Amino acid sequence: MKLNEIVLNTNYRELDSHFYTDTKASPLNSPYLISFNSSTAELIELDVSECEHEDFIHFMNGSYMLSGSTPFAMCYTGYQFGHLVPRLGDGRALNLGKTNSWNLQLKGSGSTLYSRGGDGRAVIRSSIREYLISEAMFTLGVPTTRALAIIGSDENVPRARWEKGAIVLRMSSSWVRFGTFEYFFYNHKHELLAPLADYVIKESYPHLEGEVNRYYLMFKEIVSGTAKMIAHWQSLGFNHGVMNTDNMSIACVTIDYGPFAFLDAYDYRNVCNKSDEDGRYAFGNQPDVAHWNLSMLAKALTPILSIEQSEQLLENFEDIFDETYEALMCAKLGLYNKDEKDNKLIQYLLSVLNNRSIDYTAFFRLLSHYHGDRTTLLSMCALPKPLISWLDDYDQRLEKENTQNRHARMLRCNPKYILKNYILQEAIDKAEVGDNSLVNELLYIAQNPYDEHPKFERYAGIAPSKLGNLKLSCSS
Ligand code: AMP
Ligand code: MG
């Protein structure tokens, strides 16, 4: 389809006007294309060649609207680092409308009613990070938003230093957040919670439409989907960094990528967000934080769902998380015939890996090749004894498996390439001086993380010593 043939709908605007504000973009100066993702273009049936069309840049810059598009910013609130902020909302995002069940949103297109003094801009650095990581997460099997393209500009944007403005077009099955419900609860507009829940059901859980106890069933889905999403994060060593309730998706997809990181060494206490001084959003806390966030959502839903009912559903969180996590970890370990001792074996491995400077991703990739010769695996750690005794147990466990295609299967679920922060930073440094080649190459790697890429061998495995465990700030 040509760009001008796409028709968007903005059903969200049929809700009460408290839910959103019609907003116009403030286009960037001298916009230019940094990268275009043909995989996501396919999802909205957009011809790949359209990215070369001048209108595409205008579309990305918010200065050309598709038919049916009346752009708007959504209102929400949220608990930020445990404290309720009365009103947040899309401070720099603009919803264009929906096509093929994808809600298109520009991020960085200027201020809105919800900007709270912010400039409404996003910079090249954060936009590239979000653009690439959402694609990497998707290929790694994690529920996530996607991204269509990214543009840069020569617009100066003040951050810790002057940076250039950019816009990334994000796509999500829903942009409703836990914080959207919280907004109406804490602003005493309880009569708007049911219409919002009905909207969410229609958009994200259509099989529940018309059910008498649909709000109960909706919360059940959200508990389950969130537990599963977090299990994916934990199995991959992904640290989100800002799990405020406004950054939690009602459709249980990973949203709002900010100071995230993939772990280098496995470390429960890893904190990737410089502003998170207390380590609230440390890697190992993520399941508990998700549970807490869900309990805050349950509170916001009390006018339409009794707390007893939601608490009963919340009790399932741990089991769903454990079950999903165990299944994902067993796959990483090449264990396909269920064994009751598998959980113990996993926990034992994690205690061996925890804080022992063994690169988490590289360890599993090496293990995927393991035939009994331990030399390379043991060379990863300074004190090999704990790993030796874990491998003894693992060897025993493998005897119960049909190992025929174990290696091939493990290599399809233990990525060789994971976009660590230092790798993203190299692409950003180049893009900031006008060379977008590495952004595009990393997009390809993000989409093929299990394959060999000889040219980028240096990105596989351990981060260079000074570049490991980089912490990032929220400022973006
Ligand atoms: P985040 O933690 O990045 O998801 O952002 C938290 C809130 O701050 C959201 O309501 C954002 O829209 C808003 N925000 C972040 N950066 C800006 C900015 N530069 N201008 C306006 N609003 C912003
Ligand atoms: Mg956010």
Side-chain angles (χ1 to χ4, degrees):
M1 229 188 287
K2 303 275 171 243
L3 190 63
N4 62 14
E5 288 168 340
I6 294 181
V7 179
L8 301 181
N9 76 63
T10 54
N11 292 346
Y12 197 75
R13 293 178 63 263
E14 287 161 22
L15 289 164
D16 186 276
S17 60
H18 283 99
F19 284 81
Y20 66 92
T21 307
D22 286 337
T23 307
K24 287 213 160 52
S26 310
L28 294 165
N29 293 327
S30 316
Y32 64 91
L33 188 65
I34 293 179
S35 182
F36 176 82
N37 182 356
S38 39
S39 305
T40 46
E42 230 173 72
L43 299 174
I44 56 168
E45 292 173 59
L46 176 66
D47 289 351
V48 170
S49 58
E50 285 294 277
C51 73
E52 286 154 24
H53 204 287
E54 206 181 318
D55 280 349
F56 184 75
I57 298 289
H58 295 307
F59 163 63
M60 286 292 300
N61 203 13
S63 50
Y64 169 78
M65 287 295 140
L66 303 186
S67 36
S69 179
T70 308
F72 61 96
M74 286 164 72
C75 189
Y76 50 82
T77 182
Y79 280 93
Q80 298 201 314
F81 293 92
H83 303 286
L84 185 72
V85 179
R87 190 169 86 165
L88 294 165
D90 294 326
R92 53 176 169 166
L94 197 61
N95 300 284
L96 301 176
K98 182 161 153 181
T99 178
N100 277 6
S101 75
W102 290 100
N103 291 284
L104 310 187
Q105 187 187 74
L106 300 178
K107 182 168 177 180
S109 53
S111 59
T112 74
L113 187 65
Y114 314 116
S115 295
R116 300 175 298 141
D119 54 17
R121 292 300 184 204
V123 293
I124 288 185
R125 167 175 53 89
S126 58
S127 308
I128 288 178
R129 286 171 55 79
E130 178 147 26
Y131 176 76
L132 291 176
I133 212 64
S134 58
E135 207 54 21
M137 293 286 269
F138 170 74
T139 323
L140 295 168
V142 190
T144 178
T145 57
R146 308 284 301 271
L148 176 69
I150 174 168
I151 57 166
S153 73
D154 73 359
E155 187 128 348
N156 287 320
V157 176
R159 293 293 180 262
R161 58 183 169 95
W162 286 103
E163 296 188 50
K164 297 294 182 195
I167 296 177
V168 57
L169 191 149
R170 309 192 293 180
M171 303 166 37
S172 184
S173 60
S174 168
W175 286 110
V176 177
R177 297 141 192 274
F178 290 12
T180 319
F181 283 93
E182 289 173 317
Y183 178 79
F184 296 105
F185 178 73
Y186 291 109
N187 286 289
H188 308 289
K189 299 215 175 308
H190 295 182
E191 71 284 3
L192 297 179
L193 289 166
L196 177 58
D198 285 329
Y199 178 87
V200 166
I201 287 169
K202 194 165 183 194
E203 181 162 73
S204 301
Y205 306 106
H207 54 289
L208 305 181
E209 266 188 291
E211 296 282 349
V212 184
N213 58 347
R214 59 192 182 281
Y215 304 143
Y216 172 85
L217 296 171
M218 175 189 80
F219 190 64
K220 187 176 180 195
E221 296 271 7
I222 297 167
V223 170
S224 159
T226 303
K228 289 177 184 168
M229 174 186 78
I230 304 288
H232 277 278
W233 294 5
Q234 300 309 108
S235 73
L236 281 168
F238 176 78
N239 194 180
H240 181 281
V242 211
M243 288 177 69
N244 295 331
T245 56
D246 50 297
N247 290 339
M248 298 292 293
S249 154
I250 214 78
C252 312
V253 297
T254 314
I255 54 170
D256 287 12
Y257 293 94
F260 65 83
F262 282 105
L263 299 182
D264 290 297
Y266 190 83
D267 182 358
Y268 301 119
R269 291 165 310 168
N270 187 75
V271 177
C272 60
N273 183 347
K274 255 188 207 164
S275 334
D276 186 6
E277 284 163 15
D278 301 330
R280 180 182 177 88
Y281 298 138
F283 172 73
N285 289 351
Q286 293 184 142
D288 286 348
V289 171
H291 187 276
W292 187 85
N293 287 346
L294 283 162
S295 64
M296 290 302 106
L297 175 62
K299 184 173 169 189
L301 290 175
T302 44
I304 57 169
L305 181 66
S306 78
I307 200 74
E308 292 76 21
Q309 284 190 301
S310 45
E311 275 175 357
Q312 177 211 332
L313 291 171
L314 265 171
E315 280 173 18
N316 301 330
F317 179 89
E318 204 176 322
D319 284 348
I320 301 169
F321 173 82
D322 288 347
E323 198 183 312
T324 315
Y325 182 69
E326 190 176 321
L328 291 167
M329 293 304 287
C330 279
K332 283 176 85 64
L333 290 168
L335 308 176
Y336 308 109
N337 304 327
K338 223 173 159 32
D339 187 292
E340 55 177 20
K341 291 201 204 115
D342 284 347
N343 186 38
K344 235 172 141 188
L345 189 71
I346 294 165
Q347 295 309 324
Y348 183 17
L349 174 62
L350 295 181
S351 71
V352 170
L353 294 182
N354 193 48
N355 214 6
R356 276 221 173 76
S357 312
I358 302 173
D359 187 273
Y360 183 71
T361 308
F363 175 81
F364 280 97
R365 187 73 184 182
L366 264 183
L367 195 69
S368 310
H369 293 286
Y370 176 60
H371 283 276
D373 177 356
R374 302 175 171 187
T375 324
T376 12
L377 277 169
L378 295 182
S379 70
M380 293 183 91
C381 44
L383 292 169
K385 228 174 161 183
L387 188 55
I388 290 174
S389 78
W390 181 80
L391 283 168
D392 290 343
D393 288 3
Y394 183 57
D395 281 346
Q396 269 189 21
R397 173 65 183 83
L398 284 182
E399 282 168 19
K400 295 185 192 162
E401 285 289 328
N402 163 15
T403 48
Q404 239 179 10
N405 32 9
R406 179 170 62 85
H407 298 292
R409 286 175 78 177
M410 285 175 78
L411 288 168
R412 296 319 288 172
C413 79
N414 288 310
K416 172 151 182 175
Y417 293 93
I418 209 124
L419 297 184
K420 292 184 176 177
N421 283 335
Y422 84 93
I423 301 174
L424 293 169
Q425 192 55 46
E426 281 186 29
I428 292 163
D429 290 345
K430 283 191 166 177
E432 285 183 338
V433 293
D435 175 1
N436 303 317
S437 56
L438 193 51
V439 175
N440 289 307
E441 287 172 317
L442 290 185
L443 178 65
Y444 183 74
I445 290 179
Q447 291 169 335
N448 300 280
Y450 305 108
D451 296 344
E452 300 290 330
H453 303 288
K455 185 178 164 196
F456 294 102
E457 191 65 31
R458 69 195 175 91
Y459 288 149
I462 300 157
S465 59
K466 283 191 187 140
L467 301 175
N469 289 329
L470 289 183
K471 276 193 186 188
L472 286 126
S473 79
C474 269
S475 150
S476 60

